[in-house]
Amino acid sequence: MPETQVDRLVAVMDRLRSDGGCPWDAEQTHETLAPYAIEEAHELAEAIESGDRGEMLGELGDVLLQVVFHARVAQEHPDEPFGIEEIAKACADKLVERHPHVFADVIAEDAEAVNANWHAIKARTMGRESVMDGVPAALPALQRAQKMLSRADRAGLDVPASSGAASSGNSIGERLLALAAEASAQGVDAEAALREAVRSFETAARETERAGARRIGE
């Protein structure tokens, strides 16, 4: 069976990480690599939003590199090693487990039912005590707010609005949370909407700069 490009990527990463490879790659740990994974995920989101297919291809490659790099580092753990095969197996197993309407006899008539099944299975298999468990604290604030709002809504929680916001000095935060709730109600990704607005602002600011420079040069 011919070598796939994924096989080639794994081999390249192995060469970089092995003796005689790249000193920088050899020094990396899961902890030092973590910020790059976050950065690459954001760059991928930006490429998707831009609609640039070439940029998207490159950014997807950068995200894949993070997985392959972490897999190679994980192989070296003295007590609990794992590699790309174990990662792929765990991912495939999870997909099969959370799609019983495809791989078993559960009936899910639409995407909403599929989503409900997914979250029910996830909560059961991961042993979470609260619907809020597992929302990463490192998520951008707007994205984290929408995820928590979505979980509360899905669980039917009637969460009271925070009181004393003005006196606590967090009235702006409460208003931002309300905007995140409004975005959720409209099916809008608040984080993506803000990124789009910031890009528009950046374009306008750059045009203003250019216009000012032209006036100075006249």
Side-chain angles (χ1 to χ4, degrees):
M1 184 176 180
E3 179 187 61
T4 68
Q5 291 301 318
V6 174
D7 293 330
R8 178 172 172 247
L9 174 59
V10 171
V12 168
M13 189 69 251
D14 183 63
R15 178 75 180 88
L16 291 172
R17 184 77 179 179
S18 300
D19 292 341
C22 173
W24 185 88
D25 289 291
E27 291 179 353
Q28 302 313 302
T29 65
H30 292 303
E31 291 74 18
T32 63
L33 291 171
Y36 297 105
I38 297 170
E39 179 181 340
E40 297 301 351
H42 283 294
E43 291 182 359
L44 172 59
E46 186 172 343
I48 291 171
E49 290 166 4
S50 74
D52 186 325
R53 300 285 293 176
E55 189 73 13
M56 192 190 309
L57 187 154
E59 295 300 341
L60 281 166
D62 289 342
V63 171
L64 177 59
L65 170 59
Q66 296 305 308
V67 176
V68 172
F69 207 150
H70 278 282
R72 181 60 180 80
V73 174
Q75 287 179 335
E76 301 169 13
H77 194 281
D79 303 316
E80 300 177 282
F82 59 82
I84 195 70
E85 286 296 320
E86 289 80 8
I87 293 171
K89 179 183 183 303
C91 185
D93 288 348
K94 181 186 295 184
L95 287 173
V96 170
E97 178 183 52
R98 295 189 185 174
H99 290 80
H101 56 288
V102 176
F103 300 101
D105 56 1
V106 172
I107 297 174
E109 297 181 351
D110 53 29
E112 185 175 348
V114 170
N115 192 46
N117 279 342
W118 175 283
H119 288 289
I121 295 168
K122 185 176 182 179
R124 183 175 68 251
T125 58
M126 300 190 75
R128 290 176 173 169
E129 297 179 358
S130 167
V131 294
M132 298 299 163
D133 289 347
V135 179
L139 281 177
L142 274 178
Q143 186 177 353
R144 190 164 187 259
Q146 277 203 292
K147 187 167 283 291
M148 286 193 163
L149 288 163
S150 173
R151 289 193 177 192
D153 181 65
R154 190 167 59 244
L157 300 179
D158 185 14
V159 183
S162 298
S163 60
S167 61
S168 69
N170 195 36
S171 59
I172 291 177
E174 295 299 325
R175 281 148 53 195
L176 286 170
L177 181 59
L179 282 173
E182 181 182 338
S184 293
Q186 296 178 16
V188 173
D189 182 328
E191 194 74 28
L194 180 58
R195 283 197 300 268
E196 182 178 356
V198 171
R199 281 195 296 270
S200 297
F201 175 82
E202 180 185 8
T203 299
R206 290 178 182 276
E207 180 55 37
T208 301
E209 282 182 318
R210 287 192 291 269
R214 286 196 296 269
R215 284 194 297 270
I216 292 173
E218 290 175 354

